[in-house]
Amino acid sequence: MTDAHSQLFIDAGPQGALTAGHSHADALSIQLITSGRPVLIDPGTFCYVCPERDRFRGTAAHNTLQVDGRDQAQANGPFAWTGMPETTVDRWHTDETFDFFAGHHNGYAPVIHHRSVFGLKNKFWLVRDVVTEPRPSGSGHRLDIHWHFLDGRDIAILPLARHTWSQSVERWDWSPVYGKKETAFVLRFSAETALPAEFAVMLVTGEPGTFTQAAPGTYHYKEPQGSHEFIFANDRLLYRATTPDGVTEQSV
């Protein structure tokens, strides 16, 4: 997803060829660059054979969702994985006004992670995560959503008002080049919850507004220039914007 000042990347392809020796367990992870500066970061590869190898390539090191503390695939030595997830792109739409992505992966089978991303050009991105299982057992799962960043002044990661998930910021590491570590940070949202479950954030590089949820799959974002409504139904989206110029509505 690109606009005049930023590029947002979503990893929605295969984990890698054969045993994916150089890959990371990062299905549906996001990276963001604004004005040429890394904002939401990938951890990089600090080393190939060292105690920190799995930490840097594990799911918790990436901007995606983790279930029950597991990686999306199982490391099998320093240059191989087993049980790699299948990632599916359910919808991709792009035009001059906004971009929309919806996809899912089965790395926690039978639990499925669904992620939708809406990007309004030169404004903001909405990221919605939904976690499901075919036959909910009623027992809880530990869900963690990680957002790795360099400087909190670069971006507002705005959760829903009055959300019930725990929220913490911790120091993390990233490796801008092989063999080098530098300080970064991770914002983590966590919950012990039965499935299905959903959580959403707004990513805003300017002054953030107010983000609320009216019902499952229905969100409102209000800012000084107007308000925005998002109604999700499976992999479809109805987007409605209200500005001084009137109301516009689009469905994808």
Side-chain angles (χ1 to χ4, degrees):
M1 298 182 177
T2 62
D3 58 38
H5 306 289
S6 63
Q7 299 84 42
L8 184 142
F9 305 89
I10 307 165
D11 190 333
Q15 183 162 328
L18 302 177
T19 58
H22 288 272
S23 70
H24 290 190
D26 59 353
L28 299 184
S29 65
I30 286 174
Q31 297 178 61
L32 175 63
I33 296 172
T34 62
S35 301
R37 173 179 170 79
V39 176
L40 297 175
I41 56 172
D42 178 90
T45 300
F46 172 58
C47 62
Y48 286 138
V49 183
C50 74
E52 293 186 88
R53 171 69 164 152
D54 288 347
R55 181 172 180 264
F56 273 84
R57 63 177 177 163
T59 299
H62 298 83
N63 300 318
T64 189
L65 179 141
Q66 190 176 29
V67 178
D68 296 329
R70 298 162 52 195
D71 286 329
Q72 299 162 349
Q74 292 74 55
N76 184 22
F79 292 101
W81 294 89
T82 60
M84 289 180 285
E86 179 181 352
T87 303
T88 301
V89 176
D90 299 304
R91 186 162 297 274
W92 169 243
H93 169 89
T94 185
D95 62 31
E96 295 181 356
T97 303
F98 69 86
D99 301 317
F100 178 66
F101 166 89
H104 69 275
H105 77 83
N106 63 357
Y108 307 113
V111 173
I112 304 297
H113 173 209
H114 308 257
R115 172 163 275 187
S116 301
V117 183
F118 172 92
L120 188 63
K121 304 285 188 179
N122 301 305
K123 279 281 190 177
F124 57 71
W125 300 265
L126 184 155
V127 182
R128 178 183 183 239
D129 290 300
V130 176
V131 188
T132 63
E133 55 185 340
R135 292 179 293 277
S137 63
S139 60
H141 289 274
R142 166 82 181 200
L143 306 181
D144 295 288
I145 304 173
H146 306 90
W147 294 105
H148 293 263
F149 61 93
L150 295 178
D151 190 330
R153 294 170 295 185
D154 291 333
I155 191 167
I157 304 171
L158 182 68
L160 290 162
R162 299 182 297 277
H163 73 84
T164 59
W165 291 40
S166 67
Q167 179 175 336
S168 63
V169 177
E170 302 172 10
R171 184 188 178 278
W172 199 271
D173 294 314
W174 81 303
S175 179
V177 297
Y178 182 79
K180 181 178 181 181
K181 280 195 300 186
E182 294 184 359
T183 297
F185 303 91
V186 58
L187 170 61
R188 180 183 295 108
F189 298 101
S190 303
E192 292 274 355
T193 181
L195 304 183
E198 69 175 293
F199 195 78
V201 299
M202 300 292 300
L203 306 177
V204 186
T205 55
E207 187 67 25
T210 303
F211 186 39
T212 58
Q213 184 172 15
T218 301
Y219 304 91
H220 291 89
Y221 180 61
K222 185 174 178 56
E223 57 175 351
Q225 295 81 15
S227 63
H228 310 265
E229 182 178 19
F230 310 87
I231 302 174
F232 292 87
N234 298 321
D235 59 347
R236 305 303 296 262
L237 171 68
L238 174 66
Y239 168 61
R240 183 180 297 120
T242 303
T243 69
D245 296 327
V247 178
T248 59
E249 186 175 290
Q250 290 180 269
S251 178
V252 292

